[in-house]
Structure formats: structure tokens, C-alpha cells
Coordinates of all heavy atoms in Angstrom, one line a residue:
V7 N 168.4 0.1 48.3 CA 167.1 0.4 47.7 C 167.0 1.9 47.6 O 167.1 2.6 48.6 CB 165.9 -0.2 48.5 CG1 164.6 0.2 48.0 CG2 166.1 -1.8 48.5
A8 N 166.6 2.4 46.5 CA 166.4 3.8 46.3 C 164.9 4.1 46.1 O 164.2 3.4 45.4 CB 167.1 4.3 45.1
I9 N 164.4 5.0 46.8 CA 163.0 5.4 46.7 C 162.9 6.7 46.1 O 163.5 7.7 46.6 CB 162.3 5.4 48.1 CG1 162.4 4.0 48.8 CG2 160.9 5.8 48.0 CD1 162.0 4.0 50.2
T10 N 162.2 6.8 45.0 CA 162.1 8.1 44.3 C 160.6 8.4 44.1 O 159.7 7.5 44.2 CB 162.8 8.1 42.9 OG1 162.3 7.0 42.2 CG2 164.3 7.9 43.1
N11 N 160.3 9.7 43.8 CA 158.9 10.1 43.4 C 157.9 9.7 44.5 O 156.9 9.2 44.3 CB 158.5 9.4 42.1 CG 157.3 10.2 41.5 OD1 157.1 11.3 41.8 ND2 156.6 9.5 40.6
R12 N 158.3 10.0 45.8 CA 157.4 9.8 46.9 C 156.2 10.7 46.8 O 156.3 11.8 46.5 CB 158.1 10.0 48.2 CG 159.2 9.0 48.5 CD 159.7 9.2 49.9 NE 161.1 9.2 49.8 CZ 161.8 9.6 50.9 NH1 161.3 9.9 52.0 NH2 163.1 9.6 50.8
Q13 N 155.1 10.2 47.3 CA 153.8 10.9 47.4 C 153.9 11.7 48.7 O 154.5 11.3 49.7 CB 152.6 10.0 47.4 CG 152.5 9.2 46.2 CD 152.2 10.1 45.0 OE1 151.5 11.0 45.1 NE2 152.9 9.8 43.9
P14 N 153.3 12.9 48.8 CA 153.2 13.6 50.0 C 152.5 12.8 51.1 O 151.6 12.1 50.9 CB 152.3 14.8 49.7 CG 152.4 15.0 48.2 CD 152.6 13.6 47.7
G15 N 153.1 12.8 52.3 CA 152.6 12.0 53.4 C 153.2 10.6 53.5 O 152.8 9.8 54.4
F16 N 154.0 10.2 52.5 CA 154.7 8.9 52.5 C 155.4 8.7 53.8 O 156.0 9.5 54.4 CB 155.7 8.8 51.4 CG 156.6 7.7 51.5 CD1 156.3 6.4 50.9 CD2 157.9 7.8 52.1 CE1 157.2 5.4 51.0 CE2 158.7 6.7 52.2 CZ 158.4 5.5 51.7
V17 N 155.2 7.5 54.4 CA 155.9 7.1 55.6 C 156.1 5.6 55.6 O 155.2 4.8 55.2 CB 155.1 7.5 56.9 CG1 153.8 6.8 57.0 CG2 155.9 7.3 58.1
K18 N 157.3 5.2 56.1 CA 157.6 3.8 56.1 C 158.3 3.5 57.5 O 159.2 4.3 57.9 CB 158.5 3.4 55.0 CG 158.9 2.0 54.9 CD 159.6 1.6 53.6 CE 161.1 2.0 53.6 NZ 161.9 1.5 52.5
L19 N 158.0 2.4 58.1 CA 158.7 2.0 59.3 C 159.7 0.9 59.0 O 159.4 0.0 58.3 CB 157.7 1.4 60.3 CG 156.5 2.4 60.7 CD1 155.6 1.7 61.7 CD2 157.0 3.7 61.2
E20 N 160.9 1.1 59.5 CA 162.0 0.2 59.2 C 162.8 -0.2 60.5 O 162.7 0.5 61.5 CB 163.0 0.9 58.3 CG 162.6 1.2 56.9 CD 163.7 1.7 56.0 OE1 164.6 2.4 56.6 OE2 163.6 1.6 54.8
S21 N 163.5 -1.3 60.4 CA 164.4 -1.7 61.4 C 163.8 -1.9 62.8 O 164.4 -1.3 63.7 CB 165.7 -0.8 61.4 OG 166.3 -0.7 60.2
P22 N 162.7 -2.5 62.9 CA 162.2 -2.7 64.3 C 163.1 -3.6 65.1 O 163.7 -4.5 64.5 CB 160.8 -3.4 64.0 CG 161.0 -4.1 62.7 CD 161.9 -3.2 61.9
G23 N 163.2 -3.3 66.4 CA 164.1 -4.1 67.2 C 163.7 -4.0 68.7 O 163.0 -3.1 69.1
V24 N 164.2 -4.9 69.4 CA 164.0 -5.0 70.9 C 165.3 -5.2 71.5 O 166.1 -6.0 71.1 CB 163.0 -6.1 71.3 CG1 162.9 -6.2 72.8 CG2 161.6 -5.9 70.7
G25 N 165.6 -4.4 72.6 CA 166.9 -4.5 73.3 C 166.9 -3.6 74.5 O 166.4 -2.5 74.4
G26 N 167.5 -4.1 75.5 CA 167.7 -3.3 76.7 C 166.4 -2.8 77.3 O 166.3 -1.7 77.9
G27 N 165.3 -3.5 77.1 CA 164.0 -3.1 77.6 C 163.2 -2.1 76.8 O 162.3 -1.5 77.2
F28 N 163.7 -1.9 75.6 CA 163.1 -0.9 74.7 C 162.7 -1.5 73.3 O 163.4 -2.4 72.8 CB 164.0 0.3 74.4 CG 164.2 1.2 75.6 CD1 165.2 1.0 76.5 CD2 163.4 2.3 75.8 CE1 165.3 1.8 77.6 CE2 163.5 3.1 76.9 CZ 164.5 2.9 77.8
F29 N 161.7 -0.9 72.7 CA 161.3 -1.2 71.3 C 161.8 0.0 70.5 O 161.6 1.1 70.9 CB 159.8 -1.4 71.2 CG 159.4 -1.4 69.7 CD1 159.5 -2.6 69.0 CD2 158.9 -0.3 69.1 CE1 159.2 -2.7 67.7 CE2 158.5 -0.4 67.8 CZ 158.6 -1.5 67.1
T30 N 162.5 -0.3 69.4 CA 163.0 0.8 68.5 C 162.6 0.5 67.1 O 162.4 -0.6 66.7 CB 164.5 0.9 68.6 OG1 165.1 -0.3 68.2 CG2 165.0 1.2 70.0
L31 N 162.5 1.6 66.3 CA 162.3 1.5 64.9 C 162.7 2.8 64.3 O 163.0 3.8 64.9 CB 160.8 1.2 64.5 CG 159.7 2.1 65.0 CD1 159.6 3.4 64.1 CD2 158.4 1.3 65.0
Q32 N 162.9 2.8 62.9 CA 163.2 4.0 62.2 C 162.0 4.4 61.4 O 161.3 3.6 60.8 CB 164.4 3.8 61.2 CG 165.7 3.4 61.9 CD 166.3 4.5 62.6 OE1 166.4 5.6 62.1 NE2 166.8 4.3 63.8
I33 N 161.7 5.7 61.4 CA 160.6 6.2 60.6 C 161.2 7.0 59.4 O 162.0 7.9 59.6 CB 159.7 7.2 61.4 CG1 159.1 6.4 62.6 CG2 158.6 7.8 60.5 CD1 158.3 7.2 63.6
V34 N 160.8 6.5 58.2 CA 161.3 7.1 57.0 C 160.2 7.8 56.3 O 159.1 7.2 56.1 CB 161.9 6.1 56.0 CG1 162.5 6.7 54.7 CG2 163.0 5.3 56.7
G35 N 160.4 9.1 55.9 CA 159.3 9.8 55.3 C 159.8 11.2 54.9 O 160.9 11.5 54.8
E36 N 158.8 12.1 54.8 CA 159.0 13.4 54.3 C 159.7 14.3 55.4 O 159.3 14.3 56.5 CB 157.6 14.0 54.1 CG 157.5 15.1 53.0 CD 156.1 15.5 52.7 OE1 155.2 14.7 52.9 OE2 155.9 16.6 52.4
P37 N 160.9 14.9 55.0 CA 161.6 15.7 55.9 C 160.7 17.0 56.3 O 160.0 17.5 55.5 CB 162.8 16.2 55.2 CG 163.0 15.2 54.0 CD 161.6 14.7 53.7
G38 N 160.9 17.4 57.5 CA 160.3 18.6 58.0 C 158.9 18.5 58.5 O 158.2 19.5 58.6
V39 N 158.4 17.3 58.7 CA 157.0 17.1 59.2 C 157.1 16.3 60.5 O 158.0 15.7 60.9 CB 156.1 16.3 58.2 CG1 156.0 17.1 56.9 CG2 156.7 15.0 57.9
V40 N 155.9 16.4 61.2 CA 155.8 15.7 62.5 C 154.9 14.5 62.2 O 153.9 14.5 61.6 CB 155.1 16.6 63.5 CG1 154.9 15.8 64.8 CG2 156.0 17.8 63.8
Y41 N 155.4 13.3 62.8 CA 154.6 12.1 62.7 C 154.2 11.7 64.1 O 154.9 11.7 65.0 CB 155.5 10.9 62.1 CG 155.8 11.1 60.6 CD1 157.0 11.6 60.2 CD2 154.8 10.8 59.7 CE1 157.3 11.7 58.9 CE2 155.1 11.0 58.3 CZ 156.4 11.5 57.9 OH 156.6 11.6 56.6
D42 N 152.9 11.2 64.2 CA 152.4 10.6 65.4 C 152.7 9.1 65.2 O 152.5 8.5 64.2 CB 150.9 10.8 65.6 CG 150.6 12.2 66.0 OD1 151.5 12.9 66.6 OD2 149.5 12.7 65.7
V43 N 153.1 8.4 66.3 CA 153.4 7.0 66.4 C 152.2 6.4 67.1 O 151.9 6.9 68.2 CB 154.7 6.7 67.0 CG1 154.9 5.2 67.1 CG2 155.9 7.4 66.3
L44 N 151.6 5.4 66.6 CA 150.4 4.7 67.2 C 150.7 3.2 67.4 O 151.5 2.6 66.6 CB 149.2 4.9 66.3 CG 148.8 6.3 66.1 CD1 149.3 6.8 64.7 CD2 147.3 6.5 66.2
R45 N 150.1 2.7 68.4 CA 150.3 1.3 68.8 C 149.0 0.6 69.0 O 148.0 1.2 69.4 CB 151.1 1.2 70.1 CG 151.4 -0.3 70.5 CD 152.3 -0.3 71.8 NE 151.6 0.3 72.9 CZ 152.2 1.0 73.8 NH1 153.5 1.2 73.8 NH2 151.5 1.5 74.8
S46 N 148.9 -0.7 68.6 CA 147.7 -1.5 68.7 C 148.0 -2.9 69.1 O 149.1 -3.4 68.8 CB 146.9 -1.5 67.4 OG 145.8 -2.3 67.4
T47 N 147.1 -3.6 69.7 CA 147.2 -5.0 70.0 C 146.3 -5.9 69.1 O 146.4 -7.1 69.1 CB 146.9 -5.4 71.5 OG1 145.6 -4.9 71.7 CG2 147.9 -4.7 72.4
N48 N 145.4 -5.2 68.3 CA 144.4 -5.9 67.6 C 144.2 -5.4 66.1 O 143.3 -5.8 65.4 CB 143.1 -6.0 68.3 CG 142.5 -4.6 68.5 OD1 142.9 -3.6 67.9 ND2 141.6 -4.5 69.5
L49 N 145.0 -4.4 65.7 CA 144.9 -3.7 64.4 C 143.5 -3.0 64.2 O 143.3 -2.4 63.1 CB 145.1 -4.7 63.3 CG 146.5 -5.3 63.2 CD1 146.5 -6.4 62.1 CD2 147.5 -4.3 62.9
S50 N 142.7 -2.9 65.2 CA 141.5 -2.1 65.2 C 141.5 -0.9 66.0 O 141.0 0.2 65.6 CB 140.3 -3.0 65.6 OG 140.1 -4.0 64.7
D51 N 142.0 -1.0 67.2 CA 142.0 0.1 68.2 C 143.5 0.6 68.3 O 144.4 -0.2 68.6 CB 141.6 -0.4 69.6 CG 140.2 -1.0 69.5 OD1 139.3 -0.3 69.0 OD2 140.0 -2.1 70.0
W52 N 143.7 1.9 68.0 CA 145.0 2.5 68.0 C 145.2 3.5 69.1 O 144.2 4.3 69.3 CB 145.3 3.1 66.6 CG 145.4 2.0 65.6 CD1 144.4 1.5 64.8 CD2 146.6 1.3 65.2 NE1 144.9 0.5 63.9 CE2 146.2 0.4 64.2 CE3 147.9 1.3 65.6 CZ2 147.1 -0.5 63.6 CZ3 148.8 0.4 65.0 CH2 148.4 -0.5 64.0
T53 N 146.3 3.6 69.7 CA 146.6 4.6 70.7 C 147.9 5.3 70.3 O 148.9 4.7 70.0 CB 146.8 3.9 72.1 OG1 145.7 3.1 72.5 CG2 147.2 4.9 73.2
K54 N 147.8 6.6 70.4 CA 149.0 7.4 70.2 C 150.0 7.3 71.3 O 149.6 7.4 72.5 CB 148.6 8.9 70.0 CG 149.8 9.8 69.7 CD 149.3 11.2 69.6 CE 150.5 12.2 69.7 NZ 150.1 13.6 69.6
V55 N 151.2 6.9 71.0 CA 152.2 6.6 72.0 C 153.4 7.6 71.9 O 154.3 7.6 72.8 CB 152.7 5.2 72.0 CG1 151.6 4.2 72.4 CG2 153.3 4.8 70.6
G56 N 153.4 8.4 70.9 CA 154.5 9.4 70.8 C 154.4 10.2 69.5 O 153.5 9.9 68.6
S57 N 155.2 11.2 69.4 CA 155.3 12.0 68.2 C 156.8 12.3 67.9 O 157.6 12.4 68.9 CB 154.6 13.4 68.3 OG 153.2 13.2 68.5
V58 N 157.2 12.4 66.7 CA 158.6 12.7 66.3 C 158.6 13.7 65.2 O 157.7 13.7 64.3 CB 159.4 11.4 65.9 CG1 159.5 10.5 67.1 CG2 158.7 10.7 64.7
T59 N 159.6 14.5 65.2 CA 159.8 15.5 64.1 C 160.9 14.9 63.2 O 162.0 14.6 63.6 CB 160.2 16.9 64.6 OG1 159.2 17.3 65.5 CG2 160.4 17.8 63.4
N60 N 160.5 14.7 61.9 CA 161.5 14.2 60.9 C 162.2 15.3 60.2 O 161.7 15.9 59.3 CB 160.7 13.3 59.9 CG 161.6 12.5 59.1 OD1 162.8 12.6 59.1 ND2 161.0 11.6 58.3
V61 N 163.4 15.6 60.7 CA 164.2 16.7 60.2 C 164.9 16.3 58.9 O 164.9 17.1 57.9 CB 165.2 17.2 61.2 CG1 166.1 18.3 60.6 CG2 164.5 17.7 62.5
T62 N 165.4 15.1 58.8 CA 166.3 14.7 57.7 C 165.7 13.7 56.7 O 166.3 13.4 55.7 CB 167.6 14.1 58.2 OG1 167.3 12.9 58.9 CG2 168.3 15.1 59.1
G63 N 164.6 13.1 57.0 CA 164.0 12.1 56.2 C 163.9 10.7 56.9 O 163.2 9.9 56.5
T64 N 164.8 10.6 57.9 CA 164.7 9.4 58.8 C 164.9 9.8 60.2 O 165.8 10.6 60.5 CB 165.9 8.4 58.4 OG1 165.8 8.0 57.0 CG2 165.9 7.1 59.2
V65 N 164.0 9.3 61.1 CA 164.1 9.6 62.5 C 163.9 8.4 63.3 O 163.0 7.6 63.0 CB 163.0 10.7 62.8 CG1 161.6 10.3 62.5 CG2 163.2 11.2 64.2
P66 N 164.7 8.2 64.4 CA 164.5 7.0 65.3 C 163.3 7.3 66.2 O 163.0 8.4 66.6 CB 165.8 6.9 66.0 CG 166.3 8.3 66.0 CD 165.8 9.0 64.8
Y67 N 162.7 6.2 66.6 CA 161.6 6.2 67.6 C 162.0 5.1 68.6 O 162.4 4.0 68.2 CB 160.2 5.9 67.0 CG 159.2 5.8 68.1 CD1 158.7 6.9 68.8 CD2 158.7 4.6 68.5 CE1 157.8 6.8 69.8 CE2 157.8 4.5 69.5 CZ 157.3 5.6 70.2 OH 156.4 5.5 71.2
R68 N 161.8 5.4 69.9 CA 162.2 4.4 71.0 C 161.2 4.6 72.1 O 160.8 5.7 72.5 CB 163.6 4.7 71.4 CG 164.0 3.9 72.6 CD 165.4 4.3 73.0 NE 165.7 3.7 74.3 CZ 166.8 3.9 74.9 NH1 167.8 4.7 74.5 NH2 167.0 3.4 76.1
E69 N 160.7 3.4 72.6 CA 159.9 3.5 73.8 C 160.1 2.3 74.7 O 160.5 1.2 74.2 CB 158.4 3.5 73.4 CG 157.8 2.3 72.8 CD 156.3 2.3 72.7 OE1 155.7 3.4 72.7 OE2 155.7 1.3 72.5
P70 N 159.9 2.4 76.0 CA 160.0 1.2 76.8 C 159.1 0.1 76.4 O 158.0 0.4 75.9 CB 159.6 1.7 78.2 CG 159.8 3.2 78.2 CD 159.5 3.6 76.7
L71 N 159.5 -1.1 76.5 CA 158.6 -2.2 76.1 C 157.3 -2.2 76.8 O 157.3 -2.1 78.0 CB 159.3 -3.6 76.4 CG 160.4 -3.9 75.4 CD1 161.1 -5.2 75.9 CD2 160.0 -4.1 74.0
P72 N 156.2 -2.3 76.1 CA 154.9 -2.3 76.7 C 154.7 -3.6 77.5 O 155.3 -4.6 77.2 CB 153.9 -2.2 75.5 CG 154.7 -1.8 74.3 CD 156.1 -2.2 74.6
T73 N 153.9 -3.6 78.5 CA 153.6 -4.7 79.3 C 152.1 -5.2 79.1 O 151.3 -4.4 78.6 CB 153.8 -4.5 80.8 OG1 153.0 -3.4 81.2 CG2 155.3 -4.1 81.1
G74 N 151.9 -6.4 79.5 CA 150.5 -6.9 79.5 C 150.1 -7.7 78.3 O 149.1 -8.4 78.4
T75 N 150.7 -7.6 77.2 CA 150.4 -8.4 76.0 C 151.7 -8.9 75.4 O 152.8 -8.4 75.6 CB 149.6 -7.6 75.0 OG1 150.4 -6.5 74.5 CG2 148.3 -7.1 75.5
T76 N 151.5 -9.9 74.5 CA 152.7 -10.5 73.9 C 153.1 -9.9 72.6 O 154.2 -10.2 72.0 CB 152.5 -12.0 73.7 OG1 151.3 -12.2 72.9 CG2 152.3 -12.7 75.1
H77 N 152.2 -9.1 71.9 CA 152.5 -8.6 70.6 C 151.9 -7.2 70.5 O 150.8 -6.9 71.1 CB 152.1 -9.5 69.5 CG 150.6 -9.7 69.5 ND1 150.0 -10.7 70.3 CD2 149.6 -9.1 68.8 CE1 148.7 -10.6 70.1 NE2 148.4 -9.7 69.2
H78 N 152.5 -6.4 69.7 CA 152.0 -5.0 69.4 C 152.2 -4.7 67.9 O 153.2 -5.2 67.3 CB 152.7 -4.0 70.3 CG 152.4 -4.1 71.7 ND1 153.1 -4.9 72.6 CD2 151.4 -3.6 72.4 CE1 152.6 -4.8 73.8 NE2 151.6 -4.0 73.7
Y79 N 151.4 -3.9 67.4 CA 151.6 -3.4 66.0 C 151.8 -1.9 66.1 O 151.2 -1.2 67.0 CB 150.3 -3.7 65.2 CG 149.9 -5.1 65.2 CD1 149.0 -5.6 66.1 CD2 150.5 -6.0 64.3 CE1 148.6 -7.0 66.1 CE2 150.2 -7.4 64.3 CZ 149.2 -7.8 65.2 OH 148.9 -9.2 65.2
Y80 N 152.6 -1.4 65.2 CA 152.9 0.1 65.1 C 152.6 0.6 63.8 O 152.7 0.0 62.8 CB 154.4 0.3 65.5 CG 154.7 0.0 66.9 CD1 155.0 -1.3 67.3 CD2 154.7 1.0 67.8 CE1 155.3 -1.5 68.7 CE2 155.0 0.8 69.2 CZ 155.3 -0.5 69.6 OH 155.5 -0.7 70.9
R81 N 152.2 1.9 63.8 CA 152.1 2.7 62.5 C 152.4 4.1 62.8 O 152.4 4.6 64.0 CB 150.7 2.5 61.9 CG 149.6 3.2 62.6 CD 148.3 2.9 61.9 NE 147.2 3.6 62.6 CZ 145.9 3.5 62.2 NH1 145.6 2.7 61.2 NH2 145.0 4.1 62.8
A82 N 152.7 4.9 61.8 CA 153.0 6.3 61.9 C 152.1 7.0 60.9 O 151.9 6.6 59.8 CB 154.4 6.6 61.7
K83 N 151.6 8.2 61.3 CA 150.8 9.0 60.4 C 151.2 10.5 60.6 O 151.7 10.9 61.6 CB 149.3 8.9 60.8 CG 148.7 7.5 60.7 CD 147.3 7.5 61.1 CE 146.5 7.9 59.9 NZ 145.0 7.7 60.1
L84 N 151.0 11.3 59.6 CA 151.2 12.7 59.7 C 150.4 13.3 60.9 O 149.2 12.9 61.0 CB 150.8 13.4 58.4 CG 151.7 13.2 57.2 CD1 151.1 13.9 56.0 CD2 153.1 13.7 57.5
A85 N 151.0 14.1 61.7 CA 150.4 14.6 62.9 C 149.1 15.3 62.6 O 148.1 15.3 63.3 CB 151.3 15.4 63.7
Q86 N 149.1 16.1 61.5 CA 147.9 16.9 61.2 C 146.7 16.1 60.7 O 145.6 16.6 60.5 CB 148.2 18.0 60.1 CG 148.8 17.5 58.8 CD 150.3 17.5 58.8 OE1 150.9 17.2 59.8 NE2 150.9 17.7 57.7
E87 N 146.9 14.8 60.4 CA 145.8 13.9 60.0 C 144.8 13.6 61.2 O 143.8 13.1 61.0 CB 146.3 12.6 59.4 CG 146.9 12.8 58.1 CD 147.4 11.5 57.5 OE1 147.1 10.4 58.1 OE2 148.0 11.5 56.4
W88 N 145.3 13.9 62.4 CA 144.5 13.5 63.6 C 143.6 14.7 64.0 O 143.7 15.6 64.4 CB 145.3 13.1 64.8 CG 145.7 11.7 64.5 CD1 146.8 11.3 63.8 CD2 145.1 10.5 64.9 NE1 146.9 9.9 63.8 CE2 145.8 9.4 64.4 CE3 143.9 10.3 65.6 CZ2 145.4 8.1 64.7 CZ3 143.6 9.0 65.9 CH2 144.3 7.9 65.4

């Protein structure tokens, strides 16, 4: 799949996975910007759980598996939007 003509601030989460006690995903977006990674259990309340600098257009994100609930939702936003 080729993505062209992206809008500024475009971000996409790909390849989510669980293994070895970690949750992982790839953040695809604008090179040279910082993205904040947010997590929610209900899609209403979001908590910042990390930040990544996207140097090449795709950057991995990894965190230990959260405890206490059976499901989580993730999103990424440009850091300066907060």
C-alpha cells in the first residue's frame, strides 16, 4: 500500500502485537516530529504513556503490558497539540 499526499499531522498506528510481556506497535507519520502515545480503557479518558521521535517516517513503540484491565485502546497525536 502506498500512501501519498499526506496531510500535516497525519499519523497511523500499525502492527499492534503482544509478546514477552510487552505491547508493541509501529507509528507511521510525518518524519522529524514528536508524537505522544496515549492509552485508554473506555475511549473517553486518555492518559499519556510515552513519547517518540519519528526520524524516518516509521517509529516503533513498546511498553510493558498494562495490568488491571482486559483491554486498552491506543492513539498517537503530535506532541505540540497538548
